[in-house]
């Protein structure tokens, strides 16, 4: 993904205010539409940032015993999340207005999972089985490193937030600004127009998040360079 010009913030809706998933989905849909219309915002999306995973099998492949099934990371996102993050679409499509509760259950997988499970076939139209349900793969996107920058991206799949929504989301806004933090007050204003009692917090640039992820490696490199300098 491309980190420059991106602002993120955390939203944790109260289940007292949004008891039903339908109300929660409407809240996020309204927020995305309002933030998208702010001057300087080019793309906006949401993602649930829980570090969650599940075991799975593939409906079109030979059965695998439960104790030998592979694991995959998973998150819920909005349709424009991938554009907001600069994650490319490799095959098929991402989510749209068709992918809501009651419709066909769909997922988007990343290229790490596609290369692992479908090296010689098109994954689009295949089905992953988990939670005693079958989920159709509609698209493949580029792999992204979320928790650490070392090594290859781990296999990942994404749900539409309108089909699976665990509540808390990170708002991701790609902007035209060199300093995306200037959007903080406008975003707060748009949120207050929907629900004045709903807080939003943890505003930060995506660049600062990436910088924090590489801090341990940067420290180790500096330390080794210092020892090398002393040795010389």
């Amino acid at each position: 993904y491309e980190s420059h010009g991106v602002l993120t913030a955390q939203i944790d809706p109260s289940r007292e205010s949004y008891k039903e998933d339908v109300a929660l989905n409407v809240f996020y849909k309204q927020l995305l539409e309002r933030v998208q219309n702010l001057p300087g915002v080019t793309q906006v999306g949401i993602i649930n940032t829980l570090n969650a995973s599940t075991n799975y099998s593939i409906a079109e492949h030979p059965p695998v015993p439960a104790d030998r099934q592979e694991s995959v990371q998973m998150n819920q996102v909005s349709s424009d999340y991938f554009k907001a993050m600069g994650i490319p679409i490799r095959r098929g499509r991402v989510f749209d207005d068709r992918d809501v509760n009651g419709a066909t259950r769909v997922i988007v997988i990343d290229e790490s999972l596609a290369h692992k499970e479908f090296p010689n076939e098109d994954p689009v139209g295949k089905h992953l089985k988990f939670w005693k349900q079958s989920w159709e793969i509609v698209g493949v996107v580029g792999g992204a490193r979320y928790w650490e920058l070392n090594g290859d991206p781990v296999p990942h799949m994404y749900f539409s937030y309108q089909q699976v929504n665990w509540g808390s989301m990170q708002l991701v806004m790609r902007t035209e600004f060199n300093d995306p933090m200037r959007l903080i007050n406008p975003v707060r204003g748009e949120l207050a127009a929907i629900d004045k009692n709903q807080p939003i917090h943890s505003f930060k640039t995506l660049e600062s998040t990436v910088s924090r992820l590489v801090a341990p490696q940067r420290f180790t490199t500096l330390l080794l360079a210092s020892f090398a300098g002393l040795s010389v």
Side-chain angles (χ1 to χ4, degrees):
Y1 46 81
E2 172 55 51
S3 61
H4 179 70
V6 176
L7 179 67
T8 65
Q10 187 68 28
I11 304 175
D12 305 305
S14 166
R15 278 298 186 172
E16 289 299 314
S17 301
Y18 301 96
K19 293 185 172 75
E20 303 295 331
D21 285 349
V22 172
L24 195 60
N25 291 343
V26 169
F27 164 77
Y28 278 121
K29 190 172 188 295
Q30 290 177 338
L31 180 62
L32 288 167
E33 290 172 349
R34 296 184 74 102
V35 174
Q36 180 67 71
N37 289 326
L38 285 173
V41 174
T42 58
Q43 297 290 344
V44 60
I46 52 174
I47 179 171
N48 183 289
T49 55
L50 288 177
N51 189 5
S53 63
T54 186
N55 292 343
Y56 66 91
S57 62
I58 301 169
E60 291 79 9
H61 290 182
V64 177
D67 61 347
R68 291 175 52 198
Q69 289 181 358
E70 297 286 347
S71 177
V72 60
Q73 296 288 119
M74 57 186 181
N75 290 95
Q76 301 106 47
V77 301
S78 62
S79 58
D80 286 336
Y81 166 76
F82 303 105
K83 289 181 181 178
M85 287 288 285
I87 297 175
I89 302 170
R90 302 298 192 198
R91 188 181 294 272
R93 68 174 179 90
V94 292
F95 305 116
D96 58 32
D97 291 339
R98 290 172 289 179
D99 306 317
V100 296
N101 279 330
T104 300
R105 291 183 290 269
V106 297
I107 55 173
V108 169
I109 66 173
D110 76 344
E111 56 192 347
S112 297
L113 185 58
H115 291 160
K116 178 181 178 181
E117 298 290 1
F118 307 96
N120 301 309
E121 54 185 321
D122 186 352
V124 175
K126 302 295 192 301
H127 297 79
L128 293 193
K129 296 173 67 177
F130 52 91
W131 300 347
K132 299 181 180 180
Q133 296 172 331
S134 180
W135 301 75
E136 181 181 349
I137 300 170
V138 295
V140 179
V141 296
R145 298 173 177 87
Y146 286 110
W147 307 108
E148 58 182 20
L149 299 185
N150 290 332
D152 296 328
V154 299
H156 215 104
M157 68 177 177
Y158 302 89
F159 304 98
S160 166
Y161 81 96
Q162 296 201 61
Q163 289 193 326
V164 179
N165 194 332
W166 293 338
S168 297
M169 293 282 182
Q170 186 177 75
L171 185 66
V172 179
M173 298 152 280
R174 181 165 294 279
T175 78
E176 298 173 342
F177 306 133
N178 286 326
D179 179 16
M181 298 292 279
R182 63 190 287 186
L183 270 175
I184 292 177
N185 286 336
V187 170
R188 288 189 186 279
E190 295 302 326
L191 177 60
I194 302 170
D195 183 349
K196 66 180 187 304
N197 296 316
Q198 174 59 52
I200 185 170
H201 61 94
S202 302
F203 281 95
K204 51 193 164 187
T205 65
L206 188 56
E207 284 184 314
S208 69
T209 299
V210 172
S211 179
R212 194 161 53 251
L213 286 175
V214 301
Q217 295 93 322
R218 187 185 300 119
F219 174 77
T220 301
T221 302
L222 180 61
L223 189 63
L224 291 174
S226 299
F227 284 145
L230 287 173
S231 298
V232 172

